Amino acid sequence: DGGITQSPKYLFRKEGQNVTLSCEQNLNHDAMYWYRQDPGQGLRLIYYSQIVNDFQKGDIAEGYSVSREKKESFPLTVTSAQKNPTAFYLCASSLGAGRAADTQYFGPGTRLTVL
Amino acid sequence: AQSVSQHNHHVILSEAASLELGCNYSYGGTVNLFWYVQYPGQHLQLLLKYFSGDPLVKGIKGFEAEFIKSKFSFNLRKPSVQWSDTAEYFCAVTNGANSNYQLIWGAGTKLIIKP
């Protein structure tokens, strides 16, 4: 059953702690993305990766970090430097980021709440 | 900066009513246009997309959208909505000004269909 998995579904952390969100895909896609979704603001791009061992900052990368050591995995770390980390985080993948009409496929999301 | 506007944040309709959700974008060059849908409790998924050719695009579940270049618009339509169309709908655009074809997202429209 191909798709994108994100874990955990809900995550609670204390302020000042780093936390890592998991994203795995078995679609054999080259490109992967992390978005943040806030009510009334649509999706905002945090980081994206077009190929293994390479990634670029999106519009709101401050306070976040990523790695892309394997094609199928693109974990996101929310660091203590992120001023307002409570949000819904979505991971997506597509065949290749250099293709304008590529469909992005999304995971179920992780809702992070910082207490 | 490029932007995408969805005019209605909340729409409430009765079953069998006709639907039109507005989407306007700010970029004047070649664009690729998408509508994504997020049903309650489900992943964000592609509804339809415009890449080239016929500006009237048909998608899943009876939805269609028309690309009107002169109006910078890509409105989503359905002649007769069903209760199962209750969801949040997002318009997104990629364009040649962004060399990595990143998606730029609208804020979303929450559609509620009354049975």
Side-chain angles (χ1 to χ4, degrees):
Chain A
D1 190 21
I4 301 176
T5 56
Q6 291 184 244
S7 61
K9 189 172 182 180
Y10 299 97
L11 189 56
F12 297 89
R13 278 296 182 267
K14 291 183 180 179
E15 196 170 338
Q17 288 182 334
N18 291 358
V19 60
T20 297
L21 281 58
S22 167
C23 178
E24 304 278 330
Q25 55 100 356
N26 62 3
L27 300 168
N28 200 31
H29 286 170
D30 285 319
M32 296 187 75
Y33 312 81
W34 273 106
Y35 292 95
R36 172 178 170 141
Q37 186 178 13
D38 294 286
Q41 292 195 48
L43 277 66
R44 292 182 290 167
L45 184 65
I46 304 172
Y47 268 97
Y48 64 100
S49 169
Q50 300 183 46
I51 199 166
V52 175
N53 292 322
D54 185 55
F55 49 83
Q56 282 81 41
K57 292 181 180 180
D59 299 322
I60 55 164
E62 186 175 350
Y64 300 97
S65 65
V66 293
S67 63
R68 186 87 187 274
E69 297 177 1
K70 298 186 296 182
K71 187 175 185 177
E72 58 270 22
S73 179
F74 191 42
L76 173 74
T77 297
V78 184
T79 75
S80 56
Q82 168 48 234
K83 297 281 189 280
N84 184 22
T86 294
F88 189 55
Y89 292 87
L90 283 167
C91 180
S93 71
S94 67
L95 277 170
R99 297 148 57 103
D102 262 358
T103 298
Q104 291 189 14
Y105 295 85
F106 286 83
T110 293
R111 188 167 297 280
L112 172 65
T113 302
V114 175
L115 306 170
Chain B
Q2 290 83 41
S3 64
V4 176
S5 297
Q6 291 183 241
H7 314 298
N8 307 102
H9 294 298
H10 293 89
V11 173
I12 301 174
L13 295 172
S14 297
E15 277 195 311
S18 64
L19 170 71
E20 182 160 2
L21 300 182
C23 174
N24 286 91
Y25 59 92
S26 63
Y27 181 65
T30 301
V31 291
N32 300 288
L33 300 149
F34 303 78
W35 275 99
Y36 281 81
V37 60
Q38 190 168 30
Y39 296 104
Q42 294 188 28
H43 301 197
L44 197 62
Q45 60 184 286
L46 181 72
L47 198 55
L48 49 79
K49 66 181 180 183
Y50 171 80
F51 181 49
S52 64
D54 189 344
L56 185 61
V57 179
K58 295 194 184 299
I60 61 172
K61 304 188 179 184
F63 285 90
E64 65 177 30
E66 185 174 14
F67 170 47
I68 304 179
K69 189 173 182 179
S70 61
K71 295 185 177 180
F72 301 92
S73 71
F74 190 54
N75 292 355
L76 181 70
R77 300 194 293 244
K78 186 170 183 178
S80 176
V81 294
Q82 300 171 307
W83 177 78
S84 58
D85 294 324
T86 294
E88 190 162 15
Y89 294 80
F90 294 91
C91 182
V93 177
T94 65
N95 61 66
N98 184 323
S99 62
N100 288 307
Y101 298 107
Q102 293 175 41
L103 279 173
I104 302 164
W105 295 80
T109 298
K110 287 188 177 176
L111 174 66
I112 297 173
I113 306 300
K114 298 184 294 183

